[in-house]
Amino acid sequence: MSNSTLSTLPASDRPEAAARLRDALLGAAFTADGLLELLGAPAYAALARSETVPALRATRGDTPLETLVRLFLLQQPVPHARVADVLPVAECVESGWLVSVGTDEVAATVDVRPYGGPDGEDWFIVSDLGCAVGGAGGIGSREEGVVLGVGGASTTLAGITVRTPVSAALDLGTGSGIQALHAARHATRVTATDLNPRALHITALTLALSGAPAADLREGSLFEPVRDDETYELIVSNPPFVISPGARLTYRDGGMGGDDLCRSLVQQAGDRLREGGFAQFLANWQHVEGEDWQDRLRSWVPRGCDAWIVQREVQDVTQYAELWLRDAGDHQGDTAAYEALYDAWLDEFEARKVKAVGFGWITLRRTGSDTPSITVEEWPHPVEQPLGDTVREHFDRVDYLRAHDDAALLAARFRLAPEIIQEQVGLPGAEDPEHVVLRQHRGMRRATKVDTVGAGFAGVCDGTLSAGRILDAIAQLVGEDPVLLRDRTPAQIRLLVEQGFLEPVG
């Protein structure tokens, strides 16, 4: 990226200008809550889909907030005199946030979108004009090095990230800086990397305008900018994971064949993690003919790491190709060119014997255990974000189960996790249910089938009696040999603990 291209952006070395702009934006209620109140829910939601007409209709007045929405969100030129009542115009023009248009108007040089932090913080995400919410508007027709704002993938990763205090965090492929911004809340030092220098510049703007500490910004691909002796307690990445026959768009195409970029990222992360540290990624992976997709992902996990990998969605190769061709706006151009691109995608998949593509989350935790835990599962059902605590608790339970054999489990005490309900499923009028289901209403919102012993056991777990004593009482009630019941039940207890239905006490 040339210096002339970067010169079209606001200056990243003017923190005082960013601070005064931030104060002016907050003073006009240019916040997530302020936008919702001004625009109403339908127009606010439409903005997230890159549809601007409802917001244009809702900002026909001349209040300070309406002026800022038209300027920074809708990219409309606004009369200089009107902006001067809201912003320090001269300083904004001089520092590059605004540019003069014609004789009496100014326009924004970047998209500035209010974003609510997890504890109610008023943040601002900077991105290239027209790119605030991803490729829905046919971003592929623009310069390939553009920097996107906040999309569904960004918020998903932010929501699943473990948020415990750390001394050092690394955001690989930072883009507009959303993950670095979140990490700055609980990390003493944040390092952010990106192959695109424009992205690093915009990340600096996002952090400054949001009132966050500056990050250590480094240019390069994946772990290249990281020194061999540098390790981190948290690594996060929403990488360019799209599996495509080329690398046309920097923000989404990694330039490696198939899912090699995601595999390399995961495999290399182990050596960069400190003991107990987490690495969390979004990723795509190939479903290859004659190969178990779960085995493929298990092979990615580096030595010395536990892993929890969740497949959230699977698309066949035609659906996948169409999704990303639309993302690039290719469907809006010449029909023959579109069909040629579509054909190239299918050629690539056919050559690799790929029948489908999976999408999901990958979490690694560095551990010194000789018996690492690798869980690979498919869970396409709704979950409750944020899930950071749920992810951390999963690995806490892994540690607990690894340290407790069956005899230790029977001697331990448990309690039923909060907000678990029991459902009995069977034919109407039947004396006994066909099966019993325990269902979570928090976190992963799992459901698991249990037998009558498992349901009875879970129902009386309140932390007062050991598992063995509860089973002895159940055996007496149902007329079963207590020794046999003790032998066969630990596997079910282990599953209920692993999935978060039961919590160890003490």
Side-chain angles (χ1 to χ4, degrees):
M1 191 72 62
S2 66
N3 289 333
S4 62
T5 303
L6 291 177
S7 69
T8 64
L9 296 172
S12 61
D13 59 353
R14 295 285 302 275
E16 72 290 344
R20 280 189 280 274
L21 175 57
R22 171 180 170 79
D23 289 342
L25 297 178
L26 294 176
F30 188 67
T31 63
D33 289 342
L35 287 185
L36 182 59
E37 183 176 347
L38 170 67
L39 302 177
Y44 188 72
L47 270 182
R49 302 190 299 270
S50 290
E51 296 291 350
T52 59
V53 171
L56 284 167
R57 292 172 61 87
T59 55
R60 291 169 172 166
D62 57 2
T63 66
L65 181 54
E66 287 171 296
T67 298
L68 294 176
V69 170
R70 294 181 73 85
L71 188 64
F72 286 116
L73 293 188
L74 305 179
Q75 281 89 58
Q76 300 293 308
V78 178
H80 185 287
R82 184 183 300 176
V83 179
D85 291 335
V86 187
L87 302 177
V89 176
E91 184 176 33
C92 287
V93 171
E94 194 266 335
S95 57
W97 290 95
L98 301 177
V99 61
S100 296
V101 178
T103 57
D104 63 350
E105 291 185 319
V106 293
T109 57
V110 287
D111 188 298
V112 175
R113 186 151 304 221
Y115 178 84
D119 291 329
E121 301 95 339
D122 288 315
W123 289 340
F124 299 97
I125 309 301
V126 180
S127 63
D128 274 308
L129 293 174
C131 302
V133 292
I139 195 171
S141 62
R142 302 181 176 91
E143 182 183 353
E144 66 92 23
V146 293
V147 178
L148 306 188
V150 178
S154 302
T155 55
T156 293
L157 179 59
I160 67 171
T161 300
V162 175
R163 301 294 178 192
T164 53
V166 297
S167 60
L170 173 64
D171 176 15
L172 286 180
T174 187
S176 60
I178 175 68
Q179 309 306 329
L181 181 57
H182 276 277
R185 295 175 58 250
H186 60 102
T188 304
R189 177 173 59 87
V190 176
T191 301
T193 73
D194 205 288
L195 185 63
N196 182 2
R198 189 175 184 87
L200 297 175
H201 192 105
I202 284 181
T203 290
L205 298 176
T206 290
L207 294 172
L209 197 57
S210 297
D216 178 4
L217 304 176
R218 304 183 190 179
E219 183 180 342
S221 177
L222 302 183
F223 287 101
E224 287 176 2
V226 180
R227 296 193 309 271
D228 290 342
D229 61 345
E230 288 182 301
T231 56
Y232 301 86
E233 292 145 291
L234 176 66
I235 299 172
V236 292
S237 183
N238 176 20
F241 54 65
V242 176
I243 299 171
S244 63
R248 290 192 302 150
L249 301 174
T250 301
Y251 74 89
R252 68 168 209 192
D253 302 320
M256 296 186 188
D259 52 16
D260 285 352
L261 182 138
C262 291
R263 175 186 55 79
S264 298
L265 182 62
V266 174
Q267 290 179 335
Q268 294 173 23
D271 291 337
R272 304 297 186 178
L273 276 178
R274 297 177 186 173
E275 193 72 17
F278 288 91
Q280 299 187 261
F281 316 105
L282 300 186
N284 274 176
W285 43 79
Q286 298 172 150
H287 286 230
V288 180
E289 292 179 17
E291 177 184 84
D292 186 311
W293 67 271
Q294 294 180 321
D295 289 343
R296 182 182 191 85
L297 289 170
R298 287 188 184 95
S299 74
W300 291 8
V301 178
R303 293 184 62 183
C305 289
D306 293 333
W308 183 21
I309 302 173
V310 182
Q311 180 167 272
R312 295 288 289 159
E313 185 180 2
V314 181
Q315 292 182 314
D316 67 50
V317 292
T318 60
Q319 292 173 312
Y320 189 80
E322 291 163 13
L323 169 67
W324 293 108
L325 288 169
R326 286 195 303 271
D327 169 85
D330 292 315
H331 62 303
Q332 299 172 344
D334 178 73
T335 300
Y338 170 77
E339 291 175 349
L341 286 169
Y342 197 156
D343 204 40
W345 281 66
L346 297 185
D347 282 345
E348 177 83 2
F349 287 130
E350 184 177 341
R352 294 179 174 276
K353 297 184 179 181
V354 176
K355 58 185 179 179
V357 177
F359 166 80
W361 319 324
I362 297 177
T363 300
L364 307 176
R365 184 190 58 168
R366 186 78 185 176
T367 174
S369 173
D370 295 329
T371 56
S373 167
I374 301 176
T375 300
V376 184
E377 62 176 321
E378 185 164 17
W379 190 253
H381 311 293
V383 299
E384 181 191 44
Q385 284 275 35
L387 276 170
D389 287 345
T390 299
V391 173
R392 177 182 51 78
E393 290 162 1
H394 167 87
F395 289 95
D396 289 344
R397 294 193 296 269
V398 164
D399 284 342
Y400 178 87
L401 292 172
R402 189 158 41 206
H404 289 71
D405 59 15
D406 287 355
L409 280 184
L410 292 174
R413 294 175 291 123
F414 302 93
R415 60 169 168 257
L416 193 65
E419 298 193 43
I420 303 292
I421 64 169
Q422 176 178 304
E423 300 173 355
Q424 298 188 164
V425 181
L427 294 172
E431 184 174 343
D432 296 313
E434 292 180 21
H435 57 265
V436 178
V437 173
L438 300 180
R439 187 178 301 277
Q440 300 169 346
H441 278 254
R442 303 296 302 272
M444 292 293 286
R445 292 177 174 167
R446 295 187 185 276
T448 189
K449 188 189 300 184
V450 293
D451 60 20
T452 53
V453 171
F457 178 86
V460 297
C461 278
D462 61 3
T464 58
L465 296 176
S466 70
R469 291 187 62 185
I470 293 173
L471 290 177
D472 290 344
I474 292 175
Q476 187 173 4
L477 285 173
V478 300
E480 188 168 341
D481 185 332
V483 175
L484 294 177
L485 193 61
R486 279 174 172 255
D487 283 345
R488 69 176 176 85
T489 306
Q492 192 168 186
I493 296 174
R494 195 170 289 276
L495 179 65
L496 291 174
V497 173
E498 179 185 344
Q499 295 190 343
F501 290 92
L502 293 179
E503 299 176 345
V505 175

